[in-house]
Structure formats: structure tokens, C-alpha cells
């Protein structure tokens, strides 16, 4: 059986790229529809074919993760794009993005935009915050102040992180995701809806997701996602999405400690001693309370 990765799904067709670089147009077997299984862009699959234009998607191999918006699976790297201003840099929003990718086992990379128009005070504030995240172990790209990043500069800074990975861009509207993608590959023309160099001919659209080969990686041809919901994360799982809280939590008196109101909490002590950034703990509590206050979801028959 032939193996490959779905790099585009459009109008019922699934375009599968093999390790050799050949792309096959396929349709999914009827069994997928009967079992209500939807193949996703990013899926590793097994398929058969008569010609490159006439193939059949036979089997979806196990996914290591999947996202709903955009609908893509097996993501290795999530580039979280945060602007210094307009919109203002927010640790609360950044931490929510980080929780989203940590929970899905996606490696995060923080990329700061609009440094070329930032004031010295704005730049220094964000630079200090970025050091907090680097201390935790997160990779951060903070371009120099007042310097316009040329396409080659951007590619050089990203290359070590994206090589041989499936990548999605993440960030709120206006942070510069589309601009960054267009600088990496001008032919994407995401904001101007120009002709894409990807498989389908015609105008670019975000109605479908597509993986585009760029810099030795596959990058989701979409401005990314910004909607963040924590419908599946439990109270106990949340600390795992904050690496420094998870590590320090091993020293808590109670193994079930969620670092909120429990006595002898090593995490709260670490915050007081400055070992854990106060804004990180504050954002952790905010998400924790959101999880605790969410309404229960019920199945079709009213089952919890």
C-alpha cells in the first residue's frame, strides 16, 4: 500500500504527497462517510491509485494531534505571532495560545512583530517579558528594534525551527500573521487574495486548508487561528500546560494540588520567591477558574 500525507482537501478530493514528492488526487472510500470519519489535511494515510489523478484514500494512520480551526492534524510547530502594539502585547493572550498548543503536544515558537515601529519603552517592556518565557524554555524570536525585517532575515531566523516540520501560524487578528507569511513566500498573497502557487489554480481562499512547501517545511496556507476554548482540559491537566508550574508542582504537599487554595503549595511559594513569574501564575489561575466555571456538556441523549 502506498503512503503519504494529505496536503490539501477540496471539493471532496484529497491531495496526497508521497515521500518522493509526487502528489496524487484521491477520493475517500465510502466507509469513511459511513463511520463519520473526516480525513484532515496533515493526516498520514495509505492509498491506492490507477493514475496520479485517480486514487483512493484507504486508511488514515493514527494522529498525534489535530486542530479544529484550522482543520489540520499532525502539527509539529505552532508559531505564535504576537505584536508589540496595535494590538498591544498581552501575556494573558499569549499564555492562552501556549496552553492551546501545549495541550495538543505542539511545539511552540513565539514570534514578536511590529518591533520596527515600537517605541523604546514598548520594546524594552516586551523584551523583559520575553526573557521570562526564554527562562521557562520557550523559543522566542524578537527582532531588533526599529529594524524592518526583510524576507531573507525572517527566513534565516525561522529556518532552524521549521525544517522538516508541519507548521501552523497562531495569533490574534492584526498581529501580523498574514504579513509574515507573505514575506516568507510572496506568492501566497494571503491578504490580497492573489494567485497561490499551491496545488489548486485560481484565487487563494481560507475556506480550505492547504500545506505549502516552504523552507523545507509544510506550512498551513491560512492566516492561522485565534479562537481559544478550553472545553477538554481538566483542572489536573492544566498545570501540565505551564511547564514551570508543572515542574514546581512536584514539590507540593498534595499530589492532587491544583495550586489554587491548597496548603503547603510549592507553586505559590515559588511565585512569592520570584521563581515563577507573577503574570504566569495569574494567567494560570484565570484559565483554571474558566475551566471550573464552564458549563457541563451533554450528549444527544442528555448524558453528561
Amino acid at each position: 500500500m502506498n503512503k503519504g500525507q494529505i496536503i490539501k482537501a477540496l471539493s471532496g478530493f484529497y491531495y496526497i504527497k508521497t515521500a518522493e514528492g509526487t502528489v496524487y488526487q484521491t477520493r475517500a472510500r465510502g466507509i469513511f462517510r459511513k463511520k463519520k470519519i473526516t480525513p484532515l489535511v496533515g493526516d498520514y494515510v495509505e492509498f491506492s491509485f490507477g493514475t496520479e489523478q485517480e486514487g483512493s484514500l484507504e486508511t488514515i494512520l493514527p494522529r498525534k494531534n489535530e486542530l479544529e480551526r484550522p482543520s489540520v492534524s499532525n502539527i509539529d510547530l505552532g508559531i505564535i505571532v504576537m505584536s508589540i502594539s496595535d494590538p498591544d502585547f498581552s501575556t494573558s493572550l499569549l499564555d492562552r495560545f501556549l496552553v492551546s498548543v501545549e495541550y495538543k503536544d505542539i511545539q511552540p515558537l513565539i514570534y514578536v512583530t511590529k518591533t520596527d515601529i515600537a517605541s523604546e519603552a514598548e520594546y524594552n517592556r516586551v523584551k523583559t517579558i520575553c526573557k521570562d518565557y526564554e527562562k521557562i524554555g520557550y523559543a522566542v524570536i524578537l527582532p531588533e528594534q526599529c529594524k524592518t525585517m526583510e524576507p531573507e532575515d525572517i527566513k534565516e531566523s525561522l529556518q532552524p525551527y521549521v525544517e522538516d516540520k508541519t507548521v501552523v501560524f497562531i495569533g490574534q487578528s492584526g498581529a501580523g500573521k498574514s504579513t509574515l507569511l507573505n514575506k516568507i513566500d510572496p506568492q501566497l498573497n494571503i491578504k490580497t487574495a492573489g494567485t497561490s502557487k499551491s496545488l489548486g489554480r485560481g484565487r487563494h481562499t481560507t475556506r480550505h486548508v492547504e500545506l505549502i512547501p516552504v523552507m523545507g517545511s509544510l506550512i498551513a496556507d491560512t492566516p492561522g487561528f485565534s479562537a481559544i476554548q478550553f472545553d477538554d482540559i481538566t483542572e489536573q491537566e492544566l498545570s501540565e500546560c505551564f511547564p514551570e508550574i508543572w515542574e514546581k508542582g512536584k514539590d507540593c504537599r498534595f499530589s492532587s494540588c491544583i495550586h489554587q487554595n491548597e496548603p503547603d503549595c510549592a507553586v505559590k511559594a515559588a511565585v512569592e520567591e520570584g521563581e515563577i513569574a507573577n503574570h504566569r501564575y495569574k494567567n494560570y489561575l484565570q484559565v483554571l477558574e474558566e475551566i471550573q466555571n464552564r458549563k457541563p456538556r451533554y450528549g444527544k441523549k442528555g448524558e453528561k
Side-chain angles (χ1 to χ4, degrees), residues 35-79:
K35 291 186 176 182
K36 297 182 179 180
I37 298 173
T38 302
L40 298 178
V41 169
D43 278 345
Y44 291 99
V45 299
E46 293 179 334
F47 69 100
S48 58
F49 68 93
T51 67
E52 291 183 10
Q53 301 299 316
E54 297 178 347
S56 175
L57 197 167
E58 305 286 346
T59 306
I60 298 175
L61 301 178
R63 298 167 180 160
K64 74 172 185 178
N65 57 44
E66 64 181 272
L67 297 174
E68 292 183 7
R69 286 173 293 194
S71 297
V72 60
S73 67
N74 297 313
I75 295 295
D76 300 307
L77 178 70
I79 299 179

Side-chain angles (χ1 to χ4, degrees), residues 5 17-19 42 44 64 73-79 107 155 158-168 211-220:
Q5 184 178 25
K17 185 177 182 179
T18 64
Y44 291 99
K64 74 172 185 178
S73 67
N74 297 313
I75 295 295
D76 300 307
L77 178 70
I79 299 179
Q107 176 189 347
K155 290 179 183 179
L158 288 174
Q159 188 72 54
Y161 300 101
V162 304
E163 191 83 37
D164 296 323
K165 289 185 173 67
T166 301
V167 183
V168 66
L211 295 177
I212 309 299
V214 180
M215 298 186 295
S217 67
L218 288 174
I219 295 181

Side-chain angles (χ1 to χ4, degrees), residues 1 13 28 43 48 74 76 82 100 105 127 131 144 158 179 201 214 221 227 233-234 236 247 271-272 274-275 283 287:
M1 190 70 70
F13 289 100
D43 278 345
S48 58
N74 297 313
D76 300 307
M82 301 293 297
S100 297
D105 193 27
K127 185 176 182 179
K131 288 181 179 178
E144 295 179 23
L158 288 174
T179 299
R201 296 175 175 80
V214 180
D221 186 12
I233 303 178
T234 66
Q236 295 295 332
E247 188 62 32
V271 174
E272 293 175 1
E275 295 179 31
N283 294 338
V287 176

Side-chain angles (χ1 to χ4, degrees), residues 176-192:
K177 300 185 301 295
S178 297
T179 299
L180 200 57
L181 278 165
N182 285 335
K183 282 190 175 183
I184 292 171
D185 187 344
Q187 295 187 63
L188 291 177
N189 286 323
I190 288 178
K191 293 183 71 176
T192 57

